[in-house]
Amino acid sequence: MTLPGSDTVPRGALVLVAAVCCVRLVELSVARRNTRWAAAHGGVEYGHRFYPVVIVLHTCLLLGIPLEVALAHRPFVPVLGWSAVAVLVLVQAVRGWCMHTLGPRWNTRIVVVPGLPPVDHGPYRYLRHPNYTAVVLEGAALPMVHTAWLTAVLFTSVNTVFLAFWTRMEERALRFNAGSDGPLRIASSKPTRPGRALRAPG
């Protein structure tokens, strides 16, 4: 399959997207391993019906960048491009810090292991959801390396709305696990839906 206008896509843009794809594959592999760990410790997954939205959003981001660069002939503007690259490097460092801090509890899904308290050290000492902050920054910076501003705006807009919903669901899961779901029910006017007991992936 040939990407429309692929002959006009700078090699750097393709290399960058390919590198991010490799990072995503590594993260999915780590998440899969951590899911097995969580399943062995009675982990419960929340929001599993909405997880495909995460996959679709990030797939659209990675496909949208080379498409927009090719079809709209987006240039590489050094000041903007290298600034975006600097943000990406920072984002990867923050994500790595999150993964190291959470250890086997890190996941791309909402997985709660009963009895484990919330993590409050590392980057979680400063931000409630540092990994999601990194996702927002990456989604804005990655397309802007080659001024794919339309992809940046569309992804950031949709992803921000979805992350607000996803974060709220994670907070409810954490409070439910801690046995203090009462105030959250009042705030949301909806009961917390039960999670799905995990099965170790094959």
Side-chain angles (χ1 to χ4, degrees):
M1 176 179 166
T2 302
L3 181 69
S6 58
D7 57 324
T8 64
V9 181
R11 183 174 298 178
L14 296 177
V15 170
L16 181 63
V17 170
V20 173
C21 286
C22 290
V23 172
R24 288 289 180 272
L25 291 175
V26 171
E27 290 175 352
L28 290 174
S29 176
V30 172
R32 189 177 180 85
R33 182 186 65 202
N34 290 347
T35 298
R36 288 196 294 267
W37 176 87
H41 290 79
V44 178
E45 180 183 0
Y46 293 81
H48 60 277
R49 294 181 180 179
F50 303 100
Y51 185 69
V53 178
V54 177
I55 302 299
V56 170
L57 278 174
H58 287 266
T59 299
C60 288
L61 171 65
L62 295 175
L63 291 177
I65 294 169
L67 281 173
E68 182 176 350
V69 171
L71 299 177
H73 305 289
R74 303 298 191 203
F76 176 81
V77 179
V79 173
L80 176 62
W82 288 117
S83 297
V85 169
V87 172
L88 290 176
V89 171
L90 176 63
V91 163
Q92 301 314 314
V94 171
R95 182 176 285 119
W97 192 12
C98 292
M99 295 174 72
H100 175 75
T101 301
L102 292 179
R105 295 173 65 178
W106 182 88
N107 213 301
T108 55
R109 300 171 180 269
I110 299 176
V111 177
V112 176
V113 177
L116 292 183
V119 174
D120 59 1
H121 59 281
Y124 295 89
R125 182 179 180 181
Y126 308 102
L127 294 172
R128 179 67 174 173
H129 297 282
N131 193 68
Y132 297 156
T133 301
V135 169
V136 171
L137 291 175
E138 183 183 60
L142 183 59
M144 294 308 295
V145 172
H146 280 275
T147 61
W149 61 267
L150 183 58
T151 299
V153 169
L154 288 176
F155 175 81
T156 300
S157 299
V158 177
N159 190 54
T160 298
V161 173
F162 178 75
L163 273 182
F165 164 76
W166 189 254
T167 302
R168 186 182 180 193
M169 185 160 42
E170 181 172 312
E171 288 289 343
R172 294 174 70 183
L174 291 172
R175 291 198 186 188
F176 184 77
N177 178 59
S180 59
D181 192 43
L184 198 63
R185 289 189 180 187
I186 294 174
S188 65
S189 73
K190 295 181 181 179
T192 299
R193 294 183 179 180
R196 181 183 67 170
L198 283 175
R199 295 181 179 178

